[in-house]
Amino acid sequence: MAEKILIIDDDVDTLRLVGLMLQRQGYEISAASNGTQGLAKAQEDRPDLILLDVMMPDMDGYEVARRLRKNPATVTVPILMFTAKTQLDDKVAGFEVGADDYLTKPTHPTELQAHVKALLARSAQKEKDPNKFVNVPHEQQGYVIGVLSARGGLGVSSLASNLAAGIYSRTQSDVILAELTPGQGTIASDFGYQNQKGLTELLQGAAAEITREKVESSLTSHNSGLKLLLASENPRDVTLTSQVKNYEALVTRLSTLARFVVLDLGNGLPAFVQKILPMCNERFIVVEGVPGTIQHTKLLIDGIVDLKIDRKSISVVLNNRIRTESLMQLAQVQDKLGHSISATLIPAPEAFVQATRLQTPVVICQPTNMTSQQFLKIADDVLEREKTR
C-alpha cells in the first residue's frame, strides 16, 4: 500500500509541483491550501507524513504543528517543514513546536525526496521499536564518533578516515568524515583536494550563522561514498580552535545530516574538544606502544573521564605504525595504560602509500589487506553498539 503524504501549503504552484513529483515516486498525495483545512485532512486521512509550509495567511505552520502534536490522532505523524524562511531562529522555532525536519524553498527535488524517504523510514522503524526513539531530540539523530590522541603523529586521521569508510562500506548509509583541526589538515591532501576553506569559513563567522544548510553546502562528496568536511593546511587557521561555540553548533548540525559522523579531533584536550567529546556517542583514542606516549594517553583518558564521560565509552586502538622490536606488546600497553585495548593495527606502510597515491582510504583500495580487515572489524563493533544506543 502506498504511503500517504499530506501537503499543507497556500501556494498553488507548490501544491501542484511537489504533489506531482512525490506522486511519481509512488506516494499517495492529498493537499490542503490552508492550516484549518490541513488539520481537518490530517484528522480524516491519517497520513504517514505531513509536508507543512510555515507562511500561510489564516494559521501559520507553527500553530498547525502545535495542534497536530496536541491531537492524539496525529501526535506521532512526522512533520517536514518546507518553507522560504531561512533564519536560524525560524528553524529552531519549527523544531520546538514538533517538526521532525526542515527544508528551505527552493530545494532540489532529489533533496526533498531524500528527506521524505528518510523520515518515512525512521517513522516505520519507530513503530517497530518505539523504545529506541524515546527522548531522542529532533536535532540529534546521527551517531557521532570522536577520534583523538594524546599527541600528534599517532594516526588519528588514518583511523578516522578508514573507520568512516569502513562504516560506509558495511551500511551504504550517509557517513560524514569531519576533520576539525584547522591549520593542521592532512585528509584533504591525502584525498586529492586543495585549498579547502569549508571548516575555516564555518569557524570564522558567528555561531548563529551555522545553519544546517550552510554546513551541508560545506561538505565535499568523495568517490568513496563519504561526505567530507576538510580542515585547511594554513597554519594561521589554528587560532580558530578558540571558536568553541562554533564547534558546538557545527557538530550539532552535522549530526542531523548523516546516520554516522566521524570526527577527527586531533590531539590533546583543547577547549573545543572538551565541549565536543560529551556530544559524541563514543570516543576512540589512538596510542602507540612507547612508554612516554602511553603515559600521556593515560592522562588523556583521565582528563576525558573528568568531563563526566563514562570510561566504558572510550575505546583505545593500539597503532603499531612501524615494524620495530622497541614497541611494547599489547599486554604490556594495557598494563601500563590501565585501560583495555579494543583493537590493534599492524604496520602496513605499502598499503598506505598506495592509498595516498589513489587518494582514497586503505579499506577502499585494499579491502582484503590485513590492516583493512582490522579497520573493518572496528567498524563492525561500532555498528553493533549503534544498534543498542
Side-chain angles (χ1 to χ4, degrees):
M1 178 181 261
E3 292 164 302
K4 300 178 183 178
I5 298 177
L6 169 61
I7 306 172
I8 306 175
D9 196 320
D10 66 321
D11 186 328
V12 176
D13 289 336
T14 298
L15 288 176
R16 181 175 56 82
L17 293 174
V18 174
L20 182 60
M21 180 189 69
L22 293 174
Q23 203 168 38
R24 287 173 176 171
Q25 297 298 312
Y27 300 113
E28 181 181 330
I29 304 300
S30 60
S33 58
N34 59 61
T36 302
Q37 187 182 42
L39 290 170
K41 277 189 170 288
Q43 177 73 26
E44 179 183 350
D45 297 347
R46 303 295 175 91
D48 297 295
L49 173 68
I50 295 173
L51 191 58
L52 177 62
D53 185 32
V54 169
M55 295 183 290
M56 295 183 291
D58 71 321
M59 183 189 305
D60 67 22
Y62 300 134
E63 181 59 27
V64 174
R66 288 189 192 95
R67 298 191 186 190
L68 288 169
R69 289 297 175 243
K70 289 180 180 178
N71 185 344
T74 57
V75 65
T76 62
V77 178
I79 299 173
L80 172 56
M81 281 195 159
F82 185 55
T83 178
K85 302 190 78 172
T86 61
Q87 294 300 311
L88 178 61
D89 290 345
D90 297 322
K91 298 178 182 182
V92 171
F95 287 118
E96 286 177 345
V97 296
D100 295 271
D101 202 354
Y102 205 113
L103 275 177
T104 55
K105 298 177 183 177
T107 186
H108 193 279
T110 302
E111 183 181 18
L112 175 59
Q113 291 166 18
H115 281 257
V116 167
K117 185 176 180 180
L119 275 178
L120 288 170
R122 191 184 308 158
S123 179
Q125 182 61 37
K126 185 176 181 179
E127 290 182 6
K128 293 179 182 178
D129 187 8
N131 293 327
K132 184 175 180 180
F133 291 82
V134 173
N135 294 328
V136 177
H138 293 298
E139 287 204 6
Q140 183 76 30
Q141 299 295 337
Y143 194 78
V144 182
I145 304 157
V147 185
L148 70 161
S149 64
R151 63 175 184 79
L154 297 182
V156 169
S157 296
S158 294
L159 175 58
S161 58
N162 283 281
L163 172 58
I167 292 173
Y168 178 80
S169 70
R170 293 302 205 214
T171 65
Q172 300 299 299
S173 299
D174 285 338
V175 181
I176 294 174
L177 170 62
E179 187 181 33
L180 302 186
T181 53
Q184 300 175 321
T186 60
I187 295 177
S189 60
D190 287 345
F191 285 5
Y193 299 101
Q194 295 181 342
N195 302 319
Q196 291 298 302
K197 298 180 180 179
L199 176 65
T200 298
E201 291 174 352
L202 289 169
L203 295 179
Q204 284 176 334
E209 297 173 352
I210 302 179
T211 63
R212 190 176 190 274
E213 288 73 21
K214 187 170 183 179
V215 173
E216 189 169 27
S217 68
S218 299
L219 300 178
T220 300
S221 295
H222 187 254
N223 57 21
S224 63
L226 298 177
K227 295 180 180 179
L228 309 175
L229 179 62
L230 300 170
S232 72
E233 299 174 338
N234 189 333
R236 289 177 296 183
D237 290 341
V238 172
T239 58
L240 294 172
T241 56
S242 63
Q243 299 291 85
V244 177
K245 290 184 178 180
N246 291 49
Y247 273 106
E248 185 177 13
L250 172 58
V251 174
T252 299
R253 302 293 173 249
L254 285 170
S255 69
T256 71
L257 291 169
R259 179 181 170 188
F260 294 95
V261 180
V262 181
L263 307 175
D264 179 344
L265 299 175
N267 60 87
L269 274 181
F272 84 90
V273 174
Q274 294 183 43
K275 176 61 69 173
I276 289 174
L277 284 175
M279 302 171 69
C280 297
N281 296 96
E282 59 179 284
R283 303 96 190 150
F284 281 91
I285 295 178
V286 184
V287 67
E288 192 175 37
V290 176
T293 302
I294 295 171
Q295 178 59 27
H296 291 158
T297 304
K298 185 174 183 179
L299 294 173
L300 176 63
I301 294 174
D302 290 341
I304 295 174
V305 172
D306 287 342
L307 299 174
K308 309 300 181 184
I309 292 173
D310 188 352
R311 188 179 292 267
K312 294 179 181 178
S313 72
I314 303 171
S315 300
V316 177
V317 175
L318 177 60
N319 186 17
N320 294 320
R321 297 174 298 146
I322 58 175
R323 298 182 178 92
T324 173
E325 295 181 358
S326 63
L327 293 176
M328 299 172 65
Q329 299 299 308
L330 171 63
Q332 294 175 293
V333 175
Q334 287 189 142
D335 182 59
K336 287 189 172 295
L337 190 61
H339 193 97
S340 62
I341 303 295
S342 63
T344 301
L345 301 174
I346 62 173
E350 299 85 359
F352 279 98
V353 168
Q354 183 180 6
T356 301
R357 186 181 302 120
L358 296 176
Q359 300 174 342
T360 195
V362 171
V363 297
I364 301 298
C365 69
Q366 291 196 32
T368 60
N369 177 277
M370 180 66 73
T371 301
S372 295
Q373 290 298 306
Q374 291 167 333
F375 283 127
L376 289 168
K377 176 61 170 59
I378 297 172
D380 289 337
D381 291 341
V382 169
L383 294 176
E384 285 301 313
R385 291 190 286 270
E386 188 254 353
K387 291 178 182 177
T388 60
R389 67 161 171 164

